[in-house]
């Protein structure tokens, strides 16, 4: 693959013209687009704190993300913060921001899994932290 820049646009060229080469060019173009968006605007994931049975306490310190009293648990659940990801708690929302889309998405997913409780019926116990917006796209 060759990449050249002409008139403020990137041109990807492959020696072969087959399905695999076209897919790889599309992948490289998407990665470049995500890198440019991250450098200019950043990537932002929004999570919602849902606590129906017990009041959940979510906080961010310098080193870690802490969830207390999820479904009445006495021991808080903690997760260390990454250097390249910024996390803010704003009322019932948790905002995860980063210039790297993969880092922001994986940290948002890790927060969602941190608040998950195994062997509970999700139709009854809907307490947790859930992703509601993935980098500008609402999650249904």
């Amino acid at each position: 693959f060759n990449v050249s820049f002409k008139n403020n646009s990137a041109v990807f060229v492959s020696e072969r013209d087959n399905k695999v080469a076209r897919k790889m060019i599309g992948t490289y173009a998407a990665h470049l687009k995500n890198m440019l968006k991250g450098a200019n605007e950043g990537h932002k994931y929004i999570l919602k704190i849902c606590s129906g049975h017990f009041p959940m306490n979510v906080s961010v310190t310098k080193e870690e993300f802490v969830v207390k009293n999820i479904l009445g648990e006495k021991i808080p659940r903690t997760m260390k913060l990454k250097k390249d990801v910024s996390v803010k708690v704003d009322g019932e929302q948790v905002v995860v921001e980063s210039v790297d889309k993969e880092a922001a998405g994986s940290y948002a997913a890790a927060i969602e899994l941190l608040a998950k409780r195994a062997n509970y019926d999700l139709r009854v116990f809907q307490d947790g932290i859930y992703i509601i917006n993935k980098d500008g796209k609402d999650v249904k």
Side-chain angles (χ1 to χ4, degrees):
F1 295 102
N2 293 324
V3 180
S4 60
F5 296 95
K6 296 179 185 175
N7 300 329
N8 290 332
S9 62
V11 178
F12 294 92
V13 179
S14 173
E15 295 170 359
R16 297 181 181 173
D17 184 27
N18 57 16
K19 192 176 192 179
V20 174
R22 287 191 298 272
K23 285 183 179 183
M24 290 303 294
I25 287 174
T27 301
Y28 290 145
H31 283 301
L32 182 64
K33 183 179 172 184
N34 286 335
M35 284 189 277
L36 291 173
K37 182 182 183 241
N40 291 330
E41 304 166 21
H43 298 283
K44 182 177 181 181
Y45 283 68
I46 300 173
L47 297 93
K48 183 173 183 179
I49 301 168
C50 301
S51 57
H53 289 88
F54 294 94
M56 194 182 324
N57 184 358
V58 179
S59 61
V60 178
T61 63
K62 285 186 178 181
E63 297 102 25
E64 58 187 11
F65 180 81
V66 181
V67 180
K68 294 179 184 174
N69 198 34
I70 181 164
L71 291 173
E73 289 181 351
K74 300 294 179 193
I75 300 171
R77 297 182 183 194
T78 61
M79 186 169 57
K80 292 191 178 190
L81 292 177
K82 293 183 180 178
K83 285 191 261 182
D84 54 346
V85 177
S86 128
V87 179
K88 297 175 198 144
V89 177
D90 184 27
E92 288 189 352
Q93 291 188 344
V94 178
V95 179
V96 179
E97 293 180 311
S98 177
V99 295
D100 183 11
K101 185 173 187 174
E102 186 177 348
S106 66
Y107 202 78
I111 289 174
E112 195 174 41
L113 286 175
L114 179 71
K116 185 177 180 182
R117 182 72 190 259
N119 301 325
Y120 274 70
D121 190 357
L122 290 177
R123 295 170 294 181
V124 177
F125 297 96
Q126 296 178 355
D127 295 11
I129 303 173
Y130 301 104
I131 298 174
I132 59 170
N133 191 303
K134 291 183 177 182
D135 200 22
K137 298 175 187 171
D138 288 337
V139 177
K140 295 178 182 172

